[in-house]
């Protein structure tokens, strides 16, 4: 039972109508990370290739996958999720000893690779939490910049938004003005609590 959908690209419009297995598999892997506990399968009957994707850890597994070749600063992957009004905010993050910053944002499973208000809220909240912790614990007299605090960071931010407002045709940038404040408050509350409960990890990060 179920629904079968068959489609074929129009060769008069597209320069090529050949599907790339690896490109499709990469997107389906992404969706499996974003929807923990769901199995997603892809089969190329032409070349007899198939893959199954299943991640019980959800975006925690996503962060682990993204940092599989990095030297981690702390073993535990920071994770929290919270509902705020009609918005669900889910965040997973881990630091490594590189200088690269890898932050991936999603809204309703859409990869918002151009960022938007949710990314601004995350960055603002992260900077605030760490600087507040430094001041409270008297670890330094310096106030660290956001760029400094994101060096070596791998993070995945996934939102479920009731009425998302995307900018442009490609839906790659979120424009909801209220989402910035929602995400920032969640980061301040949840990450702040995590640092208080895990001072060893907090000091390693700082």
């Amino acid at each position: 039972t179920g629904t079968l959908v068959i489609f074929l690209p129009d060769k008069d419009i597209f320069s090529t109508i050949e599907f790339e297995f690896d490109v499709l598999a990469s997107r389906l892997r992404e969706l499996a990370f974003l929807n923990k506990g769901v199995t997603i399968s892809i089969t190329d009957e032409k070349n007899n290739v198939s893959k199954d994707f299943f991640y019980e850890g959800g975006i925690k597994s996503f962060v682990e996958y993204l940092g599989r070749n990095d030297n981690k600063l702390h073993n535990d992957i920071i994770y929290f999720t919270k509902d705020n009004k009609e918005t669900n905010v889910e965040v997973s993050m881990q630091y490594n000893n590189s200088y690269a910053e890898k932050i991936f944002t999603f809204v309703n499973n859409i990869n918002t690779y151009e960022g938007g208000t949710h990314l601004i809220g995350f960055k603002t909240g992260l900077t605030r939490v760490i600087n507040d912790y430094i001041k409270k614990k008297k670890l330094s007299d310096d106030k660290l910049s956001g760029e400094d605090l994101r060096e070596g960071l791998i993070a995945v931010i996934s939102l479920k938004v009731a009425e998302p407002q995307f900018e442009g045709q490609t839906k790659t940038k979120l424009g909801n003005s209220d989402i910035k404040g929602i995400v920032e408050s969640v980061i301040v509350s949840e990450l702040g609590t995590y640092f208080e409960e895990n001072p060893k990890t907090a000091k390693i990060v700082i």
Side-chain angles (χ1 to χ4, degrees):
T1 60
T3 302
L4 176 66
V5 178
I6 298 173
F7 67 92
L8 182 69
D10 190 333
K11 62 184 178 182
D12 292 333
I13 296 175
F14 296 98
S15 58
T16 176
I17 59 170
E18 292 292 321
F19 292 102
E20 290 190 34
F21 181 84
D22 290 341
V23 172
L24 294 171
S26 177
R27 173 56 179 155
L28 294 180
R29 179 189 291 111
E30 200 174 75
L31 287 170
F33 281 129
L34 295 169
N35 299 276
K36 63 181 178 181
V38 175
T39 301
I40 300 179
S41 304
I42 178 172
T43 302
D44 181 352
E45 295 177 346
K46 192 175 180 181
N47 298 300
N48 196 27
V49 181
S50 64
K51 284 186 179 180
D52 296 323
F53 301 109
F54 172 84
Y55 302 101
E56 189 62 54
I59 64 170
K60 280 184 74 174
S61 299
F62 201 170
V63 168
E64 186 177 12
Y65 175 79
L66 292 168
R68 61 194 181 281
N69 298 320
D70 296 316
N71 293 317
K72 291 124 184 115
L73 293 182
H74 51 99
N75 291 324
D76 52 323
I77 295 175
I78 301 168
Y79 171 83
F80 47 86
T81 180
K82 189 171 184 180
D83 292 318
N84 189 315
K85 298 179 182 176
E86 293 184 330
T87 302
N88 172 263
V89 180
E90 190 178 11
V91 176
S92 187
M93 51 191 281
Q94 188 177 40
Y95 280 89
N96 57 63
N97 68 349
S98 75
Y99 292 99
E101 171 190 328
K102 300 177 190 173
I103 302 176
F104 297 86
T105 62
F106 300 87
V107 176
N108 298 354
N109 288 337
I110 295 169
N111 188 339
T112 48
Y113 58 82
E114 287 188 274
T117 51
H118 52 333
L119 179 59
I120 296 169
F122 171 78
K123 289 180 176 180
T124 306
L126 178 69
T127 304
R128 184 174 153 194
V129 167
I130 295 182
N131 276 314
D132 285 352
Y133 189 87
I134 290 171
K135 186 177 179 181
K136 184 178 180 181
K137 302 297 181 181
K138 298 178 180 177
L139 299 174
S140 173
D141 293 328
D142 296 326
K143 192 169 185 179
L144 303 181
S145 72
E147 287 185 2
D148 289 334
L149 300 176
R150 295 192 301 274
E151 282 187 0
L153 173 64
I154 295 176
V156 176
I157 302 134
S158 179
L159 269 65
K160 297 293 186 290
V161 181
E163 293 184 20
Q165 297 167 11
F166 295 105
E167 295 181 14
Q169 289 286 336
T170 55
K171 296 185 177 181
T172 52
K173 187 174 183 180
L174 186 69
N176 300 57
S177 58
D178 60 322
I179 296 297
K180 177 189 175 293
I182 290 173
V183 173
E184 183 179 345
S185 68
V186 169
I187 298 299
V188 169
S189 169
E190 300 303 308
L191 186 59
T193 300
Y194 180 89
F195 277 0
E196 289 294 337
E197 294 175 350
N198 300 272
K200 186 178 178 182
T201 301
K203 285 180 181 178
I204 289 171
V205 168
I206 291 162

